[in-house]
Every structure is written in structure tokens, then in C-alpha cells.
Amino acid sequence: MTTRRETRELEFRGERGARGPSTWGQRHIWTTLQVTRPHDTRFNLALSAQVPEGRSLDDVLAALRLLVERHESLRTTFDERDGYPPAQTVASRGRMTVSVEHLDGPGEQDPAARVWSEAASHHFDIASHWPVRFLVFVYQGRPLQVGAALSHMAVDILGGDLLKRDLEDLLSGAAGKPGSTARAHQPLDEAAHEQSDAGREALTRTLGLWRSAIEGAPPLFPSATRPYSGARYPSGTLYAKGLGRRVKQAADRLKVRSSAFFMAATAAALTRHAGADSCALTITCANRTSARTLDYVGTIAQQGLLVLDSLGPSLHDTVRRTWPALLRAHQYSRYDQGALDRLGAELAGRRDLDFEQTQHYVNFSEETTPIRGPEGFPDLADGEVVYQEGTPVTGTPLKFGMRLGTDGDDAYIRVFADRHYLDGKAVRGILDETNRLLQSGAAGDVSYS
């Protein structure tokens, strides 16, 4: 239990301060946050790092100051005073408040869980406040752990991982060596690249790919609404014992990654439910495909498309087709959100096409920690599954969302849907069919005939 909280002021002086256009990645997240308010806190991120022995609270504060000075995304605000898209303003100097929490005992509270709780509950007013909130946990005068709750406007998941690595280096003193403060690629630099001739040419190519995919993809979800009762966006998760391990073994035999196997089963379940044989599934792409973005601390991930012109006659054939399609998905994932929305409106008005790719997503994740299923899940036998109802989703414009993950041993399939379009029977059918294809396909091929 926390016995006392104090605040410390962090004064920073960065190398550059400027106002400029937002990046495509920032615009993508900005739009998402706007349409999901007041429930946008679920997009916040959190990170935590252990403080090495011998480091004082002043050392920790100095490390945080260097972190903020080094990464412009942590001292950036956004505004729409000139209309959409928002502009970003990087402050060259300023102050931040750091919360210092003094603990009763070194193990009486999990600081990492506390940071996640802070991130989940803290709303960031990114027009007037910094997109980061730091916490330091102290026991008997010694800092144990430091954490940060972050707006998604500051970093995406991989950007957060890079930030954590840099923070750990700063806490250890390794990042303070000569030559370690050279300015990396920053969001203002990325925005300048996107607004250049090369960036505009890339946008034109990307929009052309989206146009082709939208025109060629059949609808996967109903366009007409239906009456419903209860929660509009119920959710549920199927947990499968040992499925991740067996899928990995099958993927190895087919010389692909597990992601291709999981996504192929999902594509097959969705398209067959819709009575189709092809699809363009919306997936999230990390977009760190160039040298300038590999160490980019910012938000650059956007939605791309997994385009399958045909499933083929069996699941394993679909897996083989899915792997190169996943490698091509990032080609669809670098764009100005406003330009993509205008393309969708044009196609919908001219061809009566539903811009369905903005209304669903399917993502796969390789978890870095063991999957925690419901009570009794650890005792299940290999191959057994358990289903758990989840908390209804709030504040979403989507019709359907699915997330699949594995820790290398077990696996889960999590889904939610808008009851305006899909009833509980349909959603459970898609979930069960995805699981059936994965379970059976891990043991041998599955024919669609």
C-alpha cells in the first residue's frame, strides 16, 4: 500500500522546439482517439523499468530529464486551430511533474501493475498537456522502479519498447556516454519526409493499392442493421491449451511463421461465413521498414491490408498464400488518414461500395508473457479450450474486431462485434470455426470441400 505521494518538478531543455504538420501515424491515432472519446484511455500505453542498485532519486530524475530531452514525442502537443489535420508543437524547454510514491514495503504493491492502472485511467489532454506521466516508486529512500503512462500519440507499441530500452540505459548510466545524445529521427522529421515529393508519390501509390483492394474485395459483414438487445458490443475470448505450440510446429513444416497460420484460419472462417472466397482484412502494421524508422520513438504503426485473391482448396493452401500476403501488407499501411477517408467516400458514392476496411480489424500478437486464462485454464489438458465472456467494448465505430495471440505454448482468440450487424450465434460461429481450423490444421490439412 502507498503511504505517501509527493511530486517533483522536472525541468527540461531540448535541442529543438518547433511547430509543424503532424505525421500520418499521428493523424491515424488522432482520428481513433476522437471517435472513441470518452473511452480513449484504453489506447494508452505503459512502461516500467527497474532502478539499478546505487541509484538515487536525483539520478532517476536526471535520467527522465535526458529521456524527455532526447525524444521530442514526449514534449509534443497537438492542436487543430488551423483545422484538420492537427499540427504538432515540440517544446524546446518546459516543466513536467513526476509523481513519487513511497511504499510501505518493497513487495507490498506491484509497481508495474500500478503503472498500467495509471495508464488505463489517465486521460491525456494532448492539446495542452504533455503526452507522458512519470511515476517513481521509492522504499526507504531508495527508488525501486520507474514507470510511464503514455498517450498513444507519443508512441506505438514498438516505440514504447524502444523508449523503455533507452530509459533502462539511462538509469544504468550507459546512455550518458559521449556520442550517445545524437538526435535520432523525430516526428517532425518524419512529417517533413511525408510532405516531400517522395512522400506524396508514396501516398499516391498506397491509395492506388487501397482502391484496387476495395474494388476487388467482397463484403464480409452485413450492411443492413438489425434489432438487438443487451450490450451493443459484447466480447468474448476462447483460450486454447497447447494450441500455440502445435500451430508453431505445423507452421514450421509449411516453412512459414505462426502468424500466417493464425491469420489464414481467421481469413478462412470469415470469408466462408460470408459465402466468399477472397478478402481484404484490415491488420495493424508496425511500419518500421526503413533505416530511418528502426529506432523511431513515436507512433508510426497504421492499418494495412491482408489481401487474399483466393483461399485455395484447403487450409494449408490458404496458409501458403497468407504468408506472402502478410509480407505485402505493409505496402498498404503508410497513408494520410484524411486522404484515405476521401477515397472511401468517393468509392462509396460512385460505386455503392461499403468502405468495410475501416469497420473491422484482425490482429495477431506473439505475447512476451504467459497467457493468463480464466480460473481452471492452467489445469486443462492439451487440446482443451475454455470460453470466457468479456466486458462489452465501449466507444467504437467498428463492426467487428478480432485479436489472436500465442505465448509459444497456449493461444487465445478474442472477438467483439456490433450486434446491429452480427448476432451472438454468428459471432460464436466465427470464433468456433477459427478454433476448429487451427486445431485441425495443426494436426493435418483441412479441405474446404
Side-chain angles (χ1 to χ4, degrees), residues 236-239 402-404 411-415 431 434-435 438:
T237 305
L238 188 149
Y239 296 89
M402 180 182 280
R403 185 178 184 89
L404 307 96
Y412 66 83
I413 309 170
R414 183 170 298 128
V415 64
L431 185 63
T434 303
N435 175 61
L438 287 168

Side-chain angles (χ1 to χ4, degrees), residues 72-96:
E72 294 179 0
S73 64
L74 300 182
R75 44 190 171 91
T76 298
T77 54
F78 301 85
D79 66 78
E80 285 185 313
R81 70 181 101 162
D82 298 323
Y84 182 88
Q88 59 173 318
T89 300
V90 177
S92 62
R93 60 179 60 190
R95 292 176 178 270
M96 290 185 181

Side-chain angles (χ1 to χ4, degrees), residues 94-433:
R95 292 176 178 270
M96 290 185 181
T97 298
V98 179
S99 293
V100 180
E101 302 205 5
H102 296 266
L103 305 177
D104 280 339
E108 292 186 19
Q109 178 175 327
D110 180 2
R114 175 70 179 84
V115 174
W116 277 107
S117 175
E118 179 77 16
S121 62
H122 188 82
H123 176 75
F124 288 97
D125 180 3
I126 49 182
S128 57
H129 295 94
W130 310 123
V132 60
R133 175 173 167 76
F134 292 116
L135 300 92
V136 181
F137 298 88
V138 175
Y139 173 64
Q140 293 184 346
R142 176 183 174 272
L144 300 178
Q145 197 159 3
V146 60
L150 297 143
S151 166
H152 208 338
M153 288 293 289
V155 293
D156 53 25
I157 292 176
L158 290 182
D161 290 342
L162 291 168
L163 193 67
K164 176 179 179 178
R165 185 182 68 188
D166 200 16
L167 175 58
E168 290 173 336
D169 286 346
L170 285 165
L171 290 171
S172 70
K177 297 176 181 178
S180 63
T181 58
R183 188 166 64 83
H185 189 65
Q186 306 279 2
L188 281 173
D189 305 322
E190 182 64 16
H193 172 78
E194 292 166 352
Q195 299 303 316
S196 68
D197 289 343
R200 287 192 289 269
E201 290 172 5
L203 176 60
T204 299
R205 289 194 300 271
T206 300
L207 294 178
L209 291 172
W210 274 84
R211 179 187 295 274
S212 177
I214 295 168
E215 291 179 333
L220 298 181
F221 306 102
S223 58
T225 60
R226 52 183 293 280
Y228 74 96
S229 61
R232 180 172 176 179
Y233 297 98
S235 68
T237 305
L238 188 149
Y239 296 89
K241 198 69 176 174
L243 179 59
R245 182 184 67 257
R246 286 180 280 111
V247 165
K248 172 66 165 58
Q249 293 168 347
D252 287 345
R253 292 194 294 270
L254 294 176
K255 295 180 171 35
V256 299
R257 296 284 298 271
S258 292
S259 56
F261 215 102
F262 278 94
M263 295 299 289
T266 304
L270 287 170
T271 54
R272 289 168 60 77
H273 176 268
D277 186 55
S278 63
C279 63
L281 295 181
T282 305
I283 65 175
T284 300
C285 299
N287 283 338
R288 296 172 185 272
T289 57
S290 64
R292 73 176 188 277
T293 58
L294 289 179
D295 294 325
Y296 178 71
V297 175
T299 184
I300 195 170
Q302 288 184 260
Q303 305 287 52
L305 292 179
L306 172 64
V307 179
L308 295 174
D309 296 329
S310 173
L311 296 183
S314 71
L315 177 62
H316 285 188
D317 196 55
T318 305
V319 173
R320 295 186 183 96
R321 297 170 187 227
T322 299
W323 179 234
L326 280 174
L327 297 179
R328 293 191 296 267
H330 72 88
Q331 298 176 5
Y332 297 83
S333 64
R334 296 287 288 119
Y335 52 83
D336 178 358
Q337 185 67 49
L340 183 62
D341 291 343
R342 289 191 292 274
L343 172 63
E346 173 200 334
L347 292 174
R350 181 164 54 85
R351 297 285 304 278
D352 195 28
L353 291 173
D354 186 11
F355 193 14
E356 193 175 83
Q357 285 68 32
T358 62
Q359 301 170 27
H360 77 263
Y361 75 85
V362 178
N363 283 333
F364 169 78
S365 175
E366 291 185 330
E367 306 292 348
T368 57
T369 57
I371 292 172
R372 295 183 179 181
E375 183 177 357
F377 177 67
D379 301 323
L380 293 181
D382 191 80
E384 292 186 331
V385 301
V386 61
Y387 177 80
Q388 183 180 49
E389 293 285 346
T391 303
V393 175
T394 53
T396 177
L398 301 177
K399 288 182 178 179
F400 181 86
M402 180 182 280
R403 185 178 184 89
L404 307 96
T406 175
D407 58 8
D409 187 16
D410 303 324
Y412 66 83
I413 309 170
R414 183 170 298 128
V415 64
F416 76 87
D418 186 344
R419 286 283 174 86
H420 267 316
Y421 302 97
L422 292 171
D423 61 23
K425 182 179 179 181
V427 174
R428 187 60 190 266
I430 293 169
L431 185 63
D432 289 342
E433 177 65 2

